[in-house]
Amino acid sequence: MINASLKNQILKDPRHYQILTLSALLAYGTLASVFEISGAQIFGIFFAALATQYLGSFMNAVRFEPRSALITALSISLLLRADSVMPLMAAAAIGVGSKFMIRLYGKHIFNPANAAIVFLLIISLTAMPGVAWTTPGQWGTALWFAALLAGAGLFVTYRAARFDVPLIFLGTFAVLIFTRALWLGDPFSIPLLRLQNGALILFAFFMISDPKTTPDGSIARAAFAASAAIVTYILSYHFHNSDGLFYALAIMCVVRPLFEYFDPAPHYRWGDRINPVRLPQLRPRSPQQIPAE
């Protein structure tokens, strides 16, 4: 039997719900042969992510915490593809390693899975052409699937006190693509189909909404999400980049410290449920040492 204290800790931490949801998606995709990823590749991703997490924890003298590494491994398994195991293992190691190596104000700057994907995409476009690619097409545009994924994502982001991020991101992006459709005289079925894409929903509810790589204050968080949507739109429709989502988040993570510099909100810790709205204050944030989770 699970004691009451342990049960409360399990139910309180939103990472458990995210791991469960992403695991179910990965299991469905592999068992139904929807995803083009082998068991060896999945094993390699998880091994590299957990090994890097363990090594980073050991070198920084902090407790080994596997849950965030598992989320990174699941996200990479769902969104990134390669012809061999090694590029995916490298992506997992880079993503998790970035939490320990690139930090500011006591937080890691980049979303680990997104950092891994963007790094491999850049390598694929430069030094090693075609070594890796993303998988937006595998998700399709079925409305029922998008609604199911969004429902699960809303629950997870609510538990993580970040449900405002995907709603603002998707809302801003929807306004932009519907305005574009009006300007061009396109039928609304085109932007509607775009919003039903499973990859977009997965990104909005399970990547950009990561509590550790979004601003802590609600006002800064809203500006961050809306700006990410604008950058995504520009990259997708003006630069015709099919991976604009991932590049946009990487860009926003780089500039996120500017949103947080005068943000008085306390750092998020896993299990927090309340993050009140506070007006920005002209007071620099002092660095705090928080373990990479």
PDB file of all heavy atoms in Angstrom, residues 75-109:
ATOM      1  N   SER A  75       9.822  13.239 -25.306  1.00  0.00           N
ATOM      2  CA  SER A  75       9.582  14.288 -26.305  1.00  0.00           C
ATOM      3  C   SER A  75      10.443  14.073 -27.546  1.00  0.00           C
ATOM      4  O   SER A  75       9.967  14.220 -28.680  1.00  0.00           O
ATOM      5  CB  SER A  75       9.868  15.661 -25.702  1.00  0.00           C
ATOM      6  OG  SER A  75       9.011  15.924 -24.605  1.00  0.00           O
ATOM      7  N   ILE A  76      11.713  13.723 -27.353  1.00  0.00           N
ATOM      8  CA  ILE A  76      12.592  13.464 -28.488  1.00  0.00           C
ATOM      9  C   ILE A  76      12.101  12.245 -29.264  1.00  0.00           C
ATOM     10  O   ILE A  76      12.096  12.242 -30.505  1.00  0.00           O
ATOM     11  CB  ILE A  76      14.037  13.268 -28.010  1.00  0.00           C
ATOM     12  CG1 ILE A  76      14.592  14.583 -27.442  1.00  0.00           C
ATOM     13  CG2 ILE A  76      14.933  12.767 -29.146  1.00  0.00           C
ATOM     14  CD1 ILE A  76      15.940  14.449 -26.783  1.00  0.00           C
ATOM     15  N   SER A  77      11.672  11.212 -28.556  1.00  0.00           N
ATOM     16  CA  SER A  77      11.164  10.006 -29.208  1.00  0.00           C
ATOM     17  C   SER A  77       9.924  10.293 -30.040  1.00  0.00           C
ATOM     18  O   SER A  77       9.701   9.664 -31.078  1.00  0.00           O
ATOM     19  CB  SER A  77      10.834   8.940 -28.160  1.00  0.00           C
ATOM     20  OG  SER A  77      11.978   8.567 -27.424  1.00  0.00           O
ATOM     21  N   LEU A  78       9.131  11.252 -29.608  1.00  0.00           N
ATOM     22  CA  LEU A  78       7.899  11.584 -30.321  1.00  0.00           C
ATOM     23  C   LEU A  78       8.110  12.529 -31.492  1.00  0.00           C
ATOM     24  O   LEU A  78       7.360  12.480 -32.478  1.00  0.00           O
ATOM     25  CB  LEU A  78       6.894  12.214 -29.336  1.00  0.00           C
ATOM     26  CG  LEU A  78       6.274  11.275 -28.302  1.00  0.00           C
ATOM     27  CD1 LEU A  78       5.555  12.075 -27.222  1.00  0.00           C
ATOM     28  CD2 LEU A  78       5.311  10.290 -28.958  1.00  0.00           C
ATOM     29  N   LEU A  79       9.123  13.394 -31.414  1.00  0.00           N
ATOM     30  CA  LEU A  79       9.221  14.497 -32.374  1.00  0.00           C
ATOM     31  C   LEU A  79      10.425  14.459 -33.302  1.00  0.00           C
ATOM     32  O   LEU A  79      10.434  15.170 -34.309  1.00  0.00           O
ATOM     33  CB  LEU A  79       9.223  15.831 -31.617  1.00  0.00           C
ATOM     34  CG  LEU A  79       7.920  16.191 -30.905  1.00  0.00           C
ATOM     35  CD1 LEU A  79       8.141  17.356 -29.949  1.00  0.00           C
ATOM     36  CD2 LEU A  79       6.837  16.539 -31.917  1.00  0.00           C
ATOM     37  N   LEU A  80      11.442  13.669 -32.991  1.00  0.00           N
ATOM     38  CA  LEU A  80      12.671  13.687 -33.784  1.00  0.00           C
ATOM     39  C   LEU A  80      12.928  12.310 -34.388  1.00  0.00           C
ATOM     40  O   LEU A  80      12.683  11.292 -33.745  1.00  0.00           O
ATOM     41  CB  LEU A  80      13.856  14.101 -32.905  1.00  0.00           C
ATOM     42  CG  LEU A  80      15.177  14.419 -33.612  1.00  0.00           C
ATOM     43  CD1 LEU A  80      15.031  15.636 -34.511  1.00  0.00           C
ATOM     44  CD2 LEU A  80      16.287  14.654 -32.591  1.00  0.00           C
ATOM     45  N   ARG A  81      13.433  12.301 -35.621  1.00  0.00           N
ATOM     46  CA  ARG A  81      13.717  11.052 -36.320  1.00  0.00           C
ATOM     47  C   ARG A  81      15.112  11.103 -36.942  1.00  0.00           C
ATOM     48  O   ARG A  81      15.625  12.168 -37.296  1.00  0.00           O
ATOM     49  CB  ARG A  81      12.677  10.791 -37.408  1.00  0.00           C
ATOM     50  CG  ARG A  81      11.276  10.575 -36.891  1.00  0.00           C
ATOM     51  CD  ARG A  81      11.155   9.246 -36.147  1.00  0.00           C
ATOM     52  NE  ARG A  81       9.833   9.067 -35.582  1.00  0.00           N
ATOM     53  CZ  ARG A  81       9.489   9.417 -34.356  1.00  0.00           C
ATOM     54  NH1 ARG A  81      10.390   9.979 -33.556  1.00  0.00           N
ATOM     55  NH2 ARG A  81       8.270   9.198 -33.907  1.00  0.00           N
ATOM     56  N   ALA A  82      15.706   9.919 -37.092  1.00  0.00           N
ATOM     57  CA  ALA A  82      17.005   9.779 -37.743  1.00  0.00           C
ATOM     58  C   ALA A  82      17.098   8.358 -38.293  1.00  0.00           C
ATOM     59  O   ALA A  82      16.321   7.473 -37.908  1.00  0.00           O
ATOM     60  CB  ALA A  82      18.139  10.057 -36.762  1.00  0.00           C
ATOM     61  N   ASP A  83      18.058   8.136 -39.184  1.00  0.00           N
ATOM     62  CA  ASP A  83      18.217   6.804 -39.776  1.00  0.00           C
ATOM     63  C   ASP A  83      18.964   5.847 -38.866  1.00  0.00           C
ATOM     64  O   ASP A  83      18.918   4.631 -39.075  1.00  0.00           O
ATOM     65  CB  ASP A  83      18.959   6.912 -41.117  1.00  0.00           C
ATOM     66  CG  ASP A  83      18.069   7.500 -42.206  1.00  0.00           C
ATOM     67  OD1 ASP A  83      16.848   7.260 -42.157  1.00  0.00           O
ATOM     68  OD2 ASP A  83      18.599   8.201 -43.091  1.00  0.00           O
ATOM     69  N   SER A  84      19.656   6.386 -37.862  1.00  0.00           N
ATOM     70  CA  SER A  84      20.431   5.528 -36.959  1.00  0.00           C
ATOM     71  C   SER A  84      20.212   5.949 -35.515  1.00  0.00           C
ATOM     72  O   SER A  84      19.530   6.940 -35.226  1.00  0.00           O
ATOM     73  CB  SER A  84      21.921   5.594 -37.313  1.00  0.00           C
ATOM     74  OG  SER A  84      22.407   6.917 -37.182  1.00  0.00           O
ATOM     75  N   VAL A  85      20.814   5.202 -34.610  1.00  0.00           N
ATOM     76  CA  VAL A  85      20.612   5.444 -33.176  1.00  0.00           C
ATOM     77  C   VAL A  85      21.453   6.612 -32.673  1.00  0.00           C
ATOM     78  O   VAL A  85      20.996   7.415 -31.850  1.00  0.00           O
ATOM     79  CB  VAL A  85      20.943   4.173 -32.363  1.00  0.00           C
ATOM     80  CG1 VAL A  85      20.804   4.437 -30.868  1.00  0.00           C
ATOM     81  CG2 VAL A  85      20.043   3.020 -32.785  1.00  0.00           C
ATOM     82  N   MET A  86      22.680   6.739 -33.156  1.00  0.00           N
ATOM     83  CA  MET A  86      23.629   7.682 -32.573  1.00  0.00           C
ATOM     84  C   MET A  86      23.163   9.142 -32.607  1.00  0.00           C
ATOM     85  O   MET A  86      23.317   9.857 -31.605  1.00  0.00           O
ATOM     86  CB  MET A  86      24.998   7.535 -33.247  1.00  0.00           C
ATOM     87  CG  MET A  86      25.692   6.224 -32.932  1.00  0.00           C
ATOM     88  SD  MET A  86      25.809   5.907 -31.142  1.00  0.00           S
ATOM     89  CE  MET A  86      26.827   7.283 -30.628  1.00  0.00           C
ATOM     90  N   PRO A  87      22.604   9.644 -33.714  1.00  0.00           N
ATOM     91  CA  PRO A  87      22.148  11.045 -33.685  1.00  0.00           C
ATOM     92  C   PRO A  87      21.077  11.290 -32.623  1.00  0.00           C
ATOM     93  O   PRO A  87      21.065  12.355 -31.980  1.00  0.00           O
ATOM     94  CB  PRO A  87      21.582  11.265 -35.095  1.00  0.00           C
ATOM     95  CG  PRO A  87      22.272  10.262 -35.935  1.00  0.00           C
ATOM     96  CD  PRO A  87      22.459   9.063 -35.060  1.00  0.00           C
ATOM     97  N   LEU A  88      20.196  10.333 -32.416  1.00  0.00           N
ATOM     98  CA  LEU A  88      19.147  10.499 -31.410  1.00  0.00           C
ATOM     99  C   LEU A  88      19.726  10.433 -30.004  1.00  0.00           C
ATOM    100  O   LEU A  88      19.277  11.163 -29.109  1.00  0.00           O
ATOM    101  CB  LEU A  88      18.077   9.422 -31.602  1.00  0.00           C
ATOM    102  CG  LEU A  88      17.333   9.471 -32.946  1.00  0.00           C
ATOM    103  CD1 LEU A  88      16.358   8.309 -33.069  1.00  0.00           C
ATOM    104  CD2 LEU A  88      16.599  10.800 -33.096  1.00  0.00           C
ATOM    105  N   MET A  89      20.707   9.567 -29.788  1.00  0.00           N
ATOM    106  CA  MET A  89      21.373   9.530 -28.484  1.00  0.00           C
ATOM    107  C   MET A  89      22.118  10.835 -28.230  1.00  0.00           C
ATOM    108  O   MET A  89      22.091  11.365 -27.103  1.00  0.00           O
ATOM    109  CB  MET A  89      22.342   8.343 -28.426  1.00  0.00           C
ATOM    110  CG  MET A  89      21.663   6.990 -28.417  1.00  0.00           C
ATOM    111  SD  MET A  89      22.845   5.617 -28.247  1.00  0.00           S
ATOM    112  CE  MET A  89      23.457   5.881 -26.568  1.00  0.00           C
ATOM    113  N   ALA A  90      22.762  11.363 -29.266  1.00  0.00           N
ATOM    114  CA  ALA A  90      23.457  12.644 -29.118  1.00  0.00           C
ATOM    115  C   ALA A  90      22.473  13.758 -28.783  1.00  0.00           C
ATOM    116  O   ALA A  90      22.753  14.619 -27.935  1.00  0.00           O
ATOM    117  CB  ALA A  90      24.210  12.970 -30.409  1.00  0.00           C
ATOM    118  N   ALA A  91      21.303  13.715 -29.428  1.00  0.00           N
ATOM    119  CA  ALA A  91      20.284  14.728 -29.148  1.00  0.00           C
ATOM    120  C   ALA A  91      19.847  14.670 -27.690  1.00  0.00           C
ATOM    121  O   ALA A  91      19.727  15.709 -27.019  1.00  0.00           O
ATOM    122  CB  ALA A  91      19.081  14.523 -30.065  1.00  0.00           C
ATOM    123  N   ALA A  92      19.609  13.467 -27.180  1.00  0.00           N
ATOM    124  CA  ALA A  92      19.187  13.317 -25.787  1.00  0.00           C
ATOM    125  C   ALA A  92      20.255  13.825 -24.829  1.00  0.00           C
ATOM    126  O   ALA A  92      19.952  14.515 -23.837  1.00  0.00           O
ATOM    127  CB  ALA A  92      18.849  11.854 -25.499  1.00  0.00           C
ATOM    128  N   ALA A  93      21.511  13.497 -25.103  1.00  0.00           N
ATOM    129  CA  ALA A  93      22.601  13.940 -24.234  1.00  0.00           C
ATOM    130  C   ALA A  93      22.758  15.453 -24.275  1.00  0.00           C
ATOM    131  O   ALA A  93      22.972  16.097 -23.239  1.00  0.00           O
ATOM    132  CB  ALA A  93      23.901  13.261 -24.654  1.00  0.00           C
ATOM    133  N   ILE A  94      22.631  16.038 -25.461  1.00  0.00           N
ATOM    134  CA  ILE A  94      22.738  17.497 -25.598  1.00  0.00           C
ATOM    135  C   ILE A  94      21.599  18.190 -24.870  1.00  0.00           C
ATOM    136  O   ILE A  94      21.800  19.181 -24.165  1.00  0.00           O
ATOM    137  CB  ILE A  94      22.751  17.884 -27.089  1.00  0.00           C
ATOM    138  CG1 ILE A  94      24.056  17.432 -27.730  1.00  0.00           C
ATOM    139  CG2 ILE A  94      22.550  19.384 -27.270  1.00  0.00           C
ATOM    140  CD1 ILE A  94      24.038  17.462 -29.239  1.00  0.00           C
ATOM    141  N   GLY A  95      20.381  17.671 -25.039  1.00  0.00           N
ATOM    142  CA  GLY A  95      19.229  18.293 -24.406  1.00  0.00           C
ATOM    143  C   GLY A  95      19.325  18.291 -22.890  1.00  0.00           C
ATOM    144  O   GLY A  95      19.165  19.335 -22.240  1.00  0.00           O
ATOM    145  N   VAL A  96      19.585  17.130 -22.320  1.00  0.00           N
ATOM    146  CA  VAL A  96      19.687  17.034 -20.855  1.00  0.00           C
ATOM    147  C   VAL A  96      20.916  17.781 -20.357  1.00  0.00           C
ATOM    148  O   VAL A  96      20.877  18.467 -19.328  1.00  0.00           O
ATOM    149  CB  VAL A  96      19.722  15.561 -20.416  1.00  0.00           C
ATOM    150  CG1 VAL A  96      19.949  15.455 -18.910  1.00  0.00           C
ATOM    151  CG2 VAL A  96      18.418  14.855 -20.800  1.00  0.00           C
ATOM    152  N   GLY A  97      22.027  17.674 -21.083  1.00  0.00           N
ATOM    153  CA  GLY A  97      23.249  18.363 -20.671  1.00  0.00           C
ATOM    154  C   GLY A  97      23.104  19.872 -20.651  1.00  0.00           C
ATOM    155  O   GLY A  97      23.734  20.550 -19.838  1.00  0.00           O
ATOM    156  N   SER A  98      22.242  20.403 -21.529  1.00  0.00           N
ATOM    157  CA  SER A  98      22.060  21.857 -21.573  1.00  0.00           C
ATOM    158  C   SER A  98      21.476  22.390 -20.269  1.00  0.00           C
ATOM    159  O   SER A  98      21.676  23.560 -19.929  1.00  0.00           O
ATOM    160  CB  SER A  98      21.159  22.243 -22.749  1.00  0.00           C
ATOM    161  OG  SER A  98      19.817  21.812 -22.546  1.00  0.00           O
ATOM    162  N   LYS A  99      20.735  21.542 -19.536  1.00  0.00           N
ATOM    163  CA  LYS A  99      20.171  21.989 -18.255  1.00  0.00           C
ATOM    164  C   LYS A  99      21.268  22.323 -17.249  1.00  0.00           C
ATOM    165  O   LYS A  99      21.107  23.224 -16.415  1.00  0.00           O
ATOM    166  CB  LYS A  99      19.276  20.907 -17.657  1.00  0.00           C
ATOM    167  CG  LYS A  99      18.049  20.566 -18.463  1.00  0.00           C
ATOM    168  CD  LYS A  99      17.098  19.710 -17.655  1.00  0.00           C
ATOM    169  CE  LYS A  99      17.766  18.467 -17.134  1.00  0.00           C
ATOM    170  NZ  LYS A  99      16.845  17.652 -16.305  1.00  0.00           N
ATOM    171  N   PHE A 100      22.351  21.595 -17.319  1.00  0.00           N
ATOM    172  CA  PHE A 100      23.425  21.782 -16.354  1.00  0.00           C
ATOM    173  C   PHE A 100      24.448  22.825 -16.809  1.00  0.00           C
ATOM    174  O   PHE A 100      25.084  23.482 -15.981  1.00  0.00           O
ATOM    175  CB  PHE A 100      24.153  20.448 -16.124  1.00  0.00           C
ATOM    176  CG  PHE A 100      23.295  19.393 -15.482  1.00  0.00           C
ATOM    177  CD1 PHE A 100      22.625  18.467 -16.255  1.00  0.00           C
ATOM    178  CD2 PHE A 100      23.149  19.341 -14.106  1.00  0.00           C
ATOM    179  CE1 PHE A 100      21.830  17.484 -15.683  1.00  0.00           C
ATOM    180  CE2 PHE A 100      22.351  18.373 -13.515  1.00  0.00           C
ATOM    181  CZ  PHE A 100      21.689  17.445 -14.302  1.00  0.00           C
ATOM    182  N   MET A 101      24.592  22.986 -18.110  1.00  0.00           N
ATOM    183  CA  MET A 101      25.687  23.803 -18.629  1.00  0.00           C
ATOM    184  C   MET A 101      25.275  25.223 -19.001  1.00  0.00           C
ATOM    185  O   MET A 101      26.116  26.137 -18.976  1.00  0.00           O
ATOM    186  CB  MET A 101      26.294  23.110 -19.858  1.00  0.00           C
ATOM    187  CG  MET A 101      26.886  21.745 -19.557  1.00  0.00           C
ATOM    188  SD  MET A 101      27.570  20.943 -21.034  1.00  0.00           S
ATOM    189  CE  MET A 101      28.903  22.062 -21.437  1.00  0.00           C
ATOM    190  N   ILE A 102      24.007  25.435 -19.371  1.00  0.00           N
ATOM    191  CA  ILE A 102      23.584  26.770 -19.830  1.00  0.00           C
ATOM    192  C   ILE A 102      22.498  27.268 -18.883  1.00  0.00           C
ATOM    193  O   ILE A 102      21.322  26.931 -19.032  1.00  0.00           O
ATOM    194  CB  ILE A 102      23.059  26.717 -21.280  1.00  0.00           C
ATOM    195  CG1 ILE A 102      24.067  26.010 -22.187  1.00  0.00           C
ATOM    196  CG2 ILE A 102      22.784  28.119 -21.793  1.00  0.00           C
ATOM    197  CD1 ILE A 102      23.580  25.806 -23.601  1.00  0.00           C
ATOM    198  N   ARG A 103      22.898  28.064 -17.898  1.00  0.00           N
ATOM    199  CA  ARG A 103      21.983  28.487 -16.850  1.00  0.00           C
ATOM    200  C   ARG A 103      22.135  29.981 -16.555  1.00  0.00           C
ATOM    201  O   ARG A 103      23.212  30.553 -16.748  1.00  0.00           O
ATOM    202  CB  ARG A 103      22.231  27.691 -15.553  1.00  0.00           C
ATOM    203  CG  ARG A 103      22.040  26.190 -15.710  1.00  0.00           C
ATOM    204  CD  ARG A 103      22.423  25.443 -14.440  1.00  0.00           C
ATOM    205  NE  ARG A 103      21.546  25.774 -13.321  1.00  0.00           N
ATOM    206  CZ  ARG A 103      20.373  25.201 -13.110  1.00  0.00           C
ATOM    207  NH1 ARG A 103      19.902  24.292 -13.947  1.00  0.00           N
ATOM    208  NH2 ARG A 103      19.652  25.533 -12.063  1.00  0.00           N
ATOM    209  N   LEU A 104      21.039  30.595 -16.089  1.00  0.00           N
ATOM    210  CA  LEU A 104      21.052  32.003 -15.703  1.00  0.00           C
ATOM    211  C   LEU A 104      19.932  32.237 -14.696  1.00  0.00           C
ATOM    212  O   LEU A 104      18.842  31.667 -14.838  1.00  0.00           O
ATOM    213  CB  LEU A 104      20.852  32.896 -16.934  1.00  0.00           C
ATOM    214  CG  LEU A 104      20.999  34.404 -16.718  1.00  0.00           C
ATOM    215  CD1 LEU A 104      22.440  34.753 -16.325  1.00  0.00           C
ATOM    216  CD2 LEU A 104      20.609  35.159 -17.986  1.00  0.00           C
ATOM    217  N   TYR A 105      20.189  33.052 -13.696  1.00  0.00           N
ATOM    218  CA  TYR A 105      19.213  33.325 -12.638  1.00  0.00           C
ATOM    219  C   TYR A 105      18.751  32.035 -11.957  1.00  0.00           C
ATOM    220  O   TYR A 105      17.601  31.904 -11.545  1.00  0.00           O
ATOM    221  CB  TYR A 105      17.992  34.073 -13.177  1.00  0.00           C
ATOM    222  CG  TYR A 105      18.282  35.407 -13.793  1.00  0.00           C
ATOM    223  CD1 TYR A 105      17.590  35.845 -14.912  1.00  0.00           C
ATOM    224  CD2 TYR A 105      19.268  36.246 -13.259  1.00  0.00           C
ATOM    225  CE1 TYR A 105      17.856  37.077 -15.485  1.00  0.00           C
ATOM    226  CE2 TYR A 105      19.540  37.472 -13.825  1.00  0.00           C
ATOM    227  CZ  TYR A 105      18.836  37.885 -14.931  1.00  0.00           C
ATOM    228  OH  TYR A 105      19.109  39.098 -15.499  1.00  0.00           O
ATOM    229  N   GLY A 106      19.647  31.058 -11.846  1.00  0.00           N
ATOM    230  CA  GLY A 106      19.299  29.826 -11.168  1.00  0.00           C
ATOM    231  C   GLY A 106      18.440  28.874 -11.972  1.00  0.00           C
ATOM    232  O   GLY A 106      17.959  27.883 -11.438  1.00  0.00           O
ATOM    233  N   LYS A 107      18.217  29.149 -13.276  1.00  0.00           N
ATOM    234  CA  LYS A 107      17.381  28.289 -14.120  1.00  0.00           C
ATOM    235  C   LYS A 107      18.143  27.936 -15.395  1.00  0.00           C
ATOM    236  O   LYS A 107      18.989  28.712 -15.841  1.00  0.00           O
ATOM    237  CB  LYS A 107      16.081  29.005 -14.515  1.00  0.00           C
ATOM    238  CG  LYS A 107      15.149  29.314 -13.368  1.00  0.00           C
ATOM    239  CD  LYS A 107      13.999  30.186 -13.820  1.00  0.00           C
ATOM    240  CE  LYS A 107      13.135  29.514 -14.876  1.00  0.00           C
ATOM    241  NZ  LYS A 107      11.942  30.333 -15.213  1.00  0.00           N
ATOM    242  N   HIS A 108      17.823  26.783 -15.966  1.00  0.00           N
ATOM    243  CA  HIS A 108      18.396  26.501 -17.280  1.00  0.00           C
ATOM    244  C   HIS A 108      17.643  27.316 -18.325  1.00  0.00           C
ATOM    245  O   HIS A 108      16.445  27.549 -18.215  1.00  0.00           O
ATOM    246  CB  HIS A 108      18.372  25.009 -17.608  1.00  0.00           C
ATOM    247  CG  HIS A 108      17.071  24.313 -17.382  1.00  0.00           C
ATOM    248  ND1 HIS A 108      16.681  23.841 -16.151  1.00  0.00           N
ATOM    249  CD2 HIS A 108      16.072  23.988 -18.230  1.00  0.00           C
ATOM    250  CE1 HIS A 108      15.507  23.255 -16.253  1.00  0.00           C
ATOM    251  NE2 HIS A 108      15.107  23.336 -17.509  1.00  0.00           N
ATOM    252  N   ILE A 109      18.347  27.762 -19.338  1.00  0.00           N
ATOM    253  CA  ILE A 109      17.780  28.685 -20.314  1.00  0.00           C
ATOM    254  C   ILE A 109      16.901  27.967 -21.326  1.00  0.00           C
ATOM    255  O   ILE A 109      15.782  28.403 -21.615  1.00  0.00           O
ATOM    256  CB  ILE A 109      18.905  29.456 -21.034  1.00  0.00           C
ATOM    257  CG1 ILE A 109      19.601  30.403 -20.050  1.00  0.00           C
ATOM    258  CG2 ILE A 109      18.358  30.248 -22.213  1.00  0.00           C
ATOM    259  CD1 ILE A 109      20.746  31.189 -20.634  1.00  0.00           C
TER     260      ILE A 109
END
